[in-house]
Amino acid sequence: MVARVTLEIALRKEFDYAIPPEFAAEIEVGSRVKVPFGPRQVLGIVTALVEETTHTNLRAILKVVGRQTMVTPEVLRLARWIGEYYCCPPETALKSVLPEAVRKEAEGWKERLFVRATAAVGEPPKLTKRQEEIWKLIQERRELPLTELLKLTGATTETIRRLEDKGLATIAAQVSERDPYANETIIASQPLVLNAEQSAALAQIVSAMDAGPELKTQNSKLKTTFLLHGVTGSGKTEIYLQAIAHTLAQGKGAIVLVPEIALTPQTVERFKARFSSGPLKTLVAVLHSHLSAGERHDEWHKIRQGRARIVIGARSAIFAPVSPLGLVIVDEEHEHSYKQEEAPRYHARDVAVVRGQMEGAVVVLGSATPSLESYHNAKRGKYALLEMPSRVDDKKMPIVRVVDMRQEGHKDKGTPYFSQRLKDAITTRLEKREQVILFLNRRGYATSLQCVKCGYVAECPNCSVSLTFHRRAQKICCHICGHEARVPQVCPEPKCRNPEIRQAGLGTERVEDTLVKLFPHARIARMDSDLMKRKEDYRRVLGEFKTGKVDLLVGTQMIAKGLHFENVTLVGVIYADLSLHVPDFRAGERTFQLLTQVAGRAGRGEVEGEVIVQAFTPFHPAIQFARRHDFAGFYEQEIEYRAQLNYPPHSRIALLTLRGRNEEKVEAAAKHLRAEVEKALGGKGAGGKGSGGEQLNLLGRAEKTTATEDAESAAPLKDVLITGPAAAPLARAETFYRWQLMLRTRQMTRLSAVLEKLLPKLALPEDITLAVDVDPVSLM
């Protein structure tokens, strides 16, 4: 047999290697191997086993890495699809499906010395009083880590070795798993009684799970992807938990995707508590970026060995080797953090839908504010739409009041950070011992430093943005590249040297500072990425807020999602229109989603909640629809705008971004790229939708097809609309100038195939790099 191997170096090729007889029984599709490549030895993955090859004098595989196959056939198939659809080398796609901690050649298990009690043979040996005490403890515990025994008894290793010499104990190294939640006390929870809306939604999901693979294949009307559209506090998580229980009862596993920012200890504990006991007891593995490399290694292997049948994690958890897979849940499916920013630039929500279809698993996309793409798919009948318009226990949605900050500016002769209405509302809540969340999606103290005399603004030397002032650290920072500098005491302009430098703009640090002055007796905490550096920080702050040790919580978008605190009765949004004035067609959608999500943190207990939204453009549709909790109204208006401009979901986008340090060279390369793309498409990119019938591909988007599909695949793509080249909205980042070319089409699968053929042939200068982003979530 011959092994076809994809190496970990981006060559867009597979290589054939001979399988030595000693490895014949070990090597399967998905095995990790070490092979010779030129003078080097490199790692790779076996992607196929063949009996014949056209190559002669094959070199042999040197080593099999790991005790079992690392990549399951299902995940391997998924990686191939990612490489083709997202225009990236298959090696890059394959690397993304395995965590770095698992890809290493050396096994990453941590071993510790354990002491185990053994039965004495014959007459018990004589022991000193001290040895007797230690021996009794070992007998009670039967087995425990040596370090723990030394800590409990105050003994030395030598004392324990003497017990081993007497045949009363053995000391041996064994694998000690690193559990990120080992020190947590998990209290088991029971399924809750569902209301009518929850029961109806769960019944449809369970029905799809009960349908056999044959029925799913034969019945095109049977939907296996669900969009669960439930308002904040409608009990979506309980539906997830009961659907997972049904999957476990079927002998299958589940993957739950949660945005990184919402993957709080509170979220994980709810899943662990439900499945920590009872007949469906199983390990719940957690995969996210705050784990250490060792913890990630051990959690992944729990899944691969089948010991953990539930996986909860951020976007990369979609590749978890759960087999067989019965259910995939994507919570907050509209979240943009599900999109990977480096190659392969996959969207975990879309990959989840494709994986579900490949493996016959049910997929549930949940959100109070679904993405327009998903809701459009549901409206067209590609996904089944499950609506839950009411909160559980008939709790009311919070009252949302919008404050026009332009009027506040006239009253106070200058723009205040807090309107009088918000200040009064905070005072009332503090008097009643209720809690308040204040939201501003901008960290730091001031957004810029400006000289009032000559107009100088402190700018980043590497990016086309101003530097943000951080008062506590006394530095100015770039939030794009990380550049830092000391705060200037006088204007740096040689001809000016003015000592009066104004701090303009507002960030969470300044909000916290102002709150301390306005409410000196309140206990205030702040949550943003400047302070939340370690995984313990989230747990500590949220724990203090939950137990009532904090009255006011200020934060960025990390406090907008997934948090459930019954004593929060007021949410204040400092500047609601920050995200509106961004050169991106999704700006309105993002603002609506963020306002609705943060408003949903209020009124989850017995007391009705209130939300005060401060804005300079209070009558913008995104703000007004969010005020009324009217998703359907927002969708109808926004979808009409998108149709007029041929933006998603009415088309698909491929964004081609060129980067280089010489701006003129980048611009010239961008113009050359447009010419090459037009040539590859068989003529100038133009509007128009072409002709022929349509069918839905795996993601529910329109893909053109006719009876003469082979002929059509060779025909020019007529519906591609090319925009640009033009400088990117963020024209310079990390010392690189950036130019973009935007391609819009209804036939992205065909466009991806065209780009995949074109990319290796492109003759770009060595210092110019090209990134292809299919279905981008940001145009910046």
Side-chain angles (χ1 to χ4, degrees):
M1 293 292 287
V2 172
R4 200 149 280 166
V5 179
T6 297
L7 307 179
E8 283 192 355
I9 44 181
L11 298 168
R12 293 180 182 266
K13 287 180 183 177
E14 292 176 319
F15 295 87
D16 288 354
Y17 284 90
I19 300 176
E22 61 268 28
F23 298 147
E26 294 180 62
I27 291 178
E28 301 173 71
V29 172
S31 294
R32 293 261 295 156
V33 292
K34 190 175 190 180
V35 295
F37 187 77
R40 293 184 290 167
Q41 295 181 355
V42 295
L43 295 171
I45 292 174
V46 175
T47 50
L49 294 173
V50 295
E51 292 187 7
E52 295 179 0
T53 177
T54 54
H55 305 286
T56 55
N57 301 324
L58 290 185
R59 300 176 79 178
I61 289 172
L62 301 173
K63 181 183 178 183
V64 180
V65 179
R67 300 172 194 174
Q68 65 183 135
T69 56
M70 296 289 192
V71 184
T72 63
E74 296 83 9
V75 174
L76 181 60
R77 186 180 167 205
L78 188 66
R80 286 188 190 279
W81 179 84
I82 287 171
E84 290 167 9
Y85 183 76
Y86 290 103
C87 297
C88 71
E91 310 84 53
T92 310
L94 272 171
K95 272 176 88 171
S96 70
V97 306
L98 287 176
E100 192 176 347
V102 176
R103 289 205 309 268
K104 291 177 180 172
E105 183 181 353
E107 288 203 340
W109 296 105
K110 180 183 178 182
E111 289 195 338
R112 291 169 73 187
L113 290 173
F114 277 74
V115 181
R116 182 180 295 154
T118 55
V121 179
E123 196 174 323
K126 288 184 179 179
L127 300 175
T128 64
K129 189 179 179 183
R130 180 79 176 124
Q131 288 173 334
E132 191 79 47
E133 289 170 2
I134 298 167
W135 165 234
K136 279 181 181 174
L137 180 63
I138 297 171
Q139 276 192 311
E140 277 174 28
R141 297 284 292 272
R142 302 306 301 164
E143 182 181 83
L144 74 166
L146 175 62
T147 50
E148 190 180 331
L149 180 61
L150 299 180
K151 196 174 178 182
L152 288 170
T153 60
T156 62
T157 308
E158 193 55 43
T159 307
I160 313 300
R161 290 281 181 202
R162 287 197 191 108
L163 289 174
E164 185 180 32
D165 294 340
K166 292 175 186 286
L168 296 174
T170 57
I171 302 173
Q174 63 185 63
V175 169
S176 173
E177 287 190 341
R178 291 150 288 200
D179 182 354
Y181 296 89
N183 298 323
E184 296 293 315
T185 304
I186 305 292
I187 300 166
S189 71
Q190 298 301 317
L192 304 177
V193 177
L194 303 181
N195 62 24
E197 289 176 3
Q198 289 174 305
S199 298
L202 180 63
Q204 286 199 50
I205 294 167
V206 167
S207 176
M209 290 160 73
D210 288 341
E214 300 83 12
L215 187 59
K216 290 176 186 175
T217 308
Q218 293 163 10
N219 188 356
S220 59
K221 290 183 180 178
L222 181 70
K223 306 288 188 295
T224 55
T225 300
F226 294 88
L227 178 60
L228 181 60
H229 177 212
V231 296
T232 53
S234 59
K236 294 187 289 293
T237 306
E238 185 61 30
I239 292 176
Y240 300 158
L241 290 166
Q242 295 197 22
I244 291 170
H246 192 79
T247 293
L248 294 178
Q250 291 179 324
K252 297 178 180 178
I255 296 173
V256 183
L257 297 187
V258 181
E260 182 84 54
I261 216 160
L263 195 59
T264 59
Q266 192 182 32
T267 310
V268 176
E269 280 163 20
R270 288 184 75 177
F271 285 87
K272 281 184 173 280
R274 183 62 57 89
F275 301 104
S276 62
S277 62
L280 298 176
K281 180 180 178 181
T282 182
L283 291 176
V284 177
V286 183
L287 296 172
H288 60 82
S289 64
H290 284 284
L291 299 181
S292 67
E295 287 170 341
R296 204 173 291 128
H297 170 277
D298 292 0
E299 292 290 290
W300 189 91
H301 278 284
K302 279 181 202 170
I303 305 161
R304 184 68 188 98
Q305 292 163 5
R307 291 184 291 132
R309 292 164 62 205
I310 300 171
V311 180
I312 178 168
R315 61 173 176 258
S316 62
I318 190 56
F319 303 119
V322 176
S323 185
L325 181 64
L327 179 67
V328 182
I329 291 166
V330 185
D331 191 30
E332 311 289 9
E333 66 85 28
H334 65 277
E335 259 296 310
H336 294 115
S337 61
Y338 283 129
K339 177 76 169 167
Q340 173 102 333
E341 291 179 3
E342 307 86 31
R345 293 174 174 81
Y346 66 88
H347 198 303
R349 177 198 63 215
D350 292 348
V351 174
V353 174
V354 172
R355 182 169 182 186
Q357 297 233 352
M358 285 180 172
E359 299 189 39
V362 169
V363 180
V364 179
L365 312 177
S367 178
T369 54
S371 63
L372 260 69
E373 287 85 350
S374 293
Y375 199 73
H376 187 64
N377 272 337
K379 283 288 189 183
R380 289 167 61 203
K382 178 62 184 176
Y383 301 162
L385 181 61
L386 307 173
E387 299 267 19
M388 294 199 302
S390 310
R391 283 187 158 183
V392 290
D393 299 330
D394 296 319
K395 291 188 176 79
K396 291 182 180 177
M397 293 297 289
I399 298 167
V400 182
R401 309 183 197 279
V402 180
V403 178
D404 188 344
M405 293 302 283
R406 297 171 299 182
Q407 302 300 323
E408 294 290 321
H410 293 318
K411 290 180 203 169
D412 287 14
K413 296 180 182 176
T415 306
Y417 304 139
F418 298 96
S419 61
Q420 191 59 48
R421 172 171 253 171
L422 182 56
K423 282 190 281 189
D424 291 345
I426 293 172
T427 303
T428 305
R429 295 320 190 281
L430 292 175
E431 286 170 357
K432 292 180 179 178
R433 296 186 175 277
E434 293 167 1
Q435 290 173 300
V436 180
I437 287 177
L438 294 176
F439 170 78
L440 176 68
N441 204 21
R442 184 186 276 165
R443 57 194 173 95
Y445 189 87
T447 48
S448 63
L449 292 183
Q450 187 175 18
C451 173
V452 294
K453 187 176 177 184
C454 72
Y456 164 85
V457 174
E459 293 184 338
C460 176
N462 307 320
C463 312
S464 50
V465 293
S466 60
L467 294 170
T468 302
F469 172 53
H470 290 254
R471 186 175 180 179
R472 187 177 292 182
Q474 277 299 302
K475 61 186 180 184
I476 44 179
C477 312
C478 174
H479 290 169
I480 303 292
C481 69
H483 171 81
E484 294 181 1
R486 293 178 65 183
V487 180
Q489 300 305 308
V490 297
C491 175
E493 287 292 334
K495 293 181 181 177
C496 181
R497 312 301 288 174
N498 174 34
E500 291 181 45
I501 295 184
R502 189 181 67 181
Q503 298 158 2
L506 179 66
T508 46
E509 192 180 358
R510 195 170 205 162
V511 170
E512 182 189 28
D513 198 48
T514 309
L515 284 170
V516 169
K517 292 170 185 170
L518 289 173
F519 307 101
H521 301 297
R523 296 163 297 176
I524 300 165
R526 187 174 106 233
M527 276 186 76
D528 56 33
S529 55
D530 291 333
L531 290 181
M532 302 294 109
K533 299 289 187 188
R534 298 170 303 169
K535 58 186 174 185
E536 294 80 17
D537 295 334
Y538 288 89
R539 193 176 280 126
R540 177 181 52 79
V541 175
L542 292 175
E544 288 174 358
F545 193 61
K546 186 177 182 179
T547 52
K549 294 176 184 174
V550 171
D551 303 313
L552 279 162
L553 181 63
V554 183
T556 54
Q557 61 180 342
M558 64 175 63
I559 64 168
K561 303 166 186 75
L563 300 181
H564 181 93
F565 297 111
E566 294 195 351
N567 199 35
V568 173
T569 57
L570 175 67
V571 168
V573 181
I574 308 300
Y575 286 162
D577 32 21
L578 267 183
S579 53
L580 273 178
H581 312 300
V582 175
D584 193 318
F585 70 91
R586 287 194 178 94
E589 181 185 3
R590 266 194 202 129
T591 302
F592 173 83
Q593 289 168 343
L594 208 48
L595 290 180
T596 306
Q597 291 286 340
V598 76
R601 301 313 108 207
R604 286 175 168 247
E606 298 303 317
V607 181
E608 188 177 359
E610 183 183 10
V611 181
I612 294 176
V613 175
Q614 300 184 159
F616 289 94
T617 49
F619 300 108
H620 190 283
I623 294 174
Q624 286 300 317
F625 282 119
R627 180 179 71 83
R628 298 193 294 269
H629 307 287
D630 184 5
F631 175 80
F634 175 76
Y635 170 81
E636 292 301 333
Q637 185 180 80
E638 188 70 15
I639 205 77
E640 199 175 314
Y641 291 153
R642 302 278 181 95
Q644 289 171 6
L645 298 168
N646 199 28
Y647 275 124
H650 294 288
S651 70
R652 314 292 302 290
I653 292 177
L655 192 65
L656 280 55
T657 304
L658 290 141
R659 302 193 323 156
R661 289 197 167 92
N662 183 313
E663 188 175 13
E664 290 177 0
K665 202 185 269 191
V666 176
E667 183 182 354
K671 289 174 180 173
H672 169 70
L673 176 62
R674 172 163 182 148
E676 291 297 314
V677 168
E678 286 177 347
K679 200 188 298 177
L681 292 171
K684 290 217 170 197
K689 293 182 180 176
S691 58
E694 287 186 346
Q695 70 173 12
L696 297 178
N697 71 356
L698 286 169
L699 292 178
R701 277 84 175 216
E703 294 290 354
K704 201 166 148 203
T705 183
T706 66
T708 55
E709 198 163 299
D710 291 339
E712 181 132 331
S713 64
L717 261 168
K718 295 291 185 185
D719 82 330
V720 180
L721 182 66
I722 303 178
T723 308
L730 181 61
R732 190 163 177 254
E734 298 173 332
T735 73
F736 291 99
Y737 291 95
R738 306 164 73 247
W739 276 64
Q740 292 177 340
L741 196 66
M742 186 198 292
L743 312 180
R744 277 173 278 172
T745 181
R746 285 174 63 84
Q747 305 179 71
M748 186 51 77
T749 307
R750 282 188 63 198
L751 179 59
S752 293
V754 170
L755 292 174
E756 199 173 0
K757 287 178 185 172
L758 173 65
L759 294 179
K761 300 175 191 170
L762 271 178
L764 293 174
E766 283 184 12
D767 54 347
I768 304 288
T769 58
L770 170 64
V772 179
D773 192 357
V774 174
D775 300 333
V777 295
S778 170
L779 303 183
M780 294 300 286

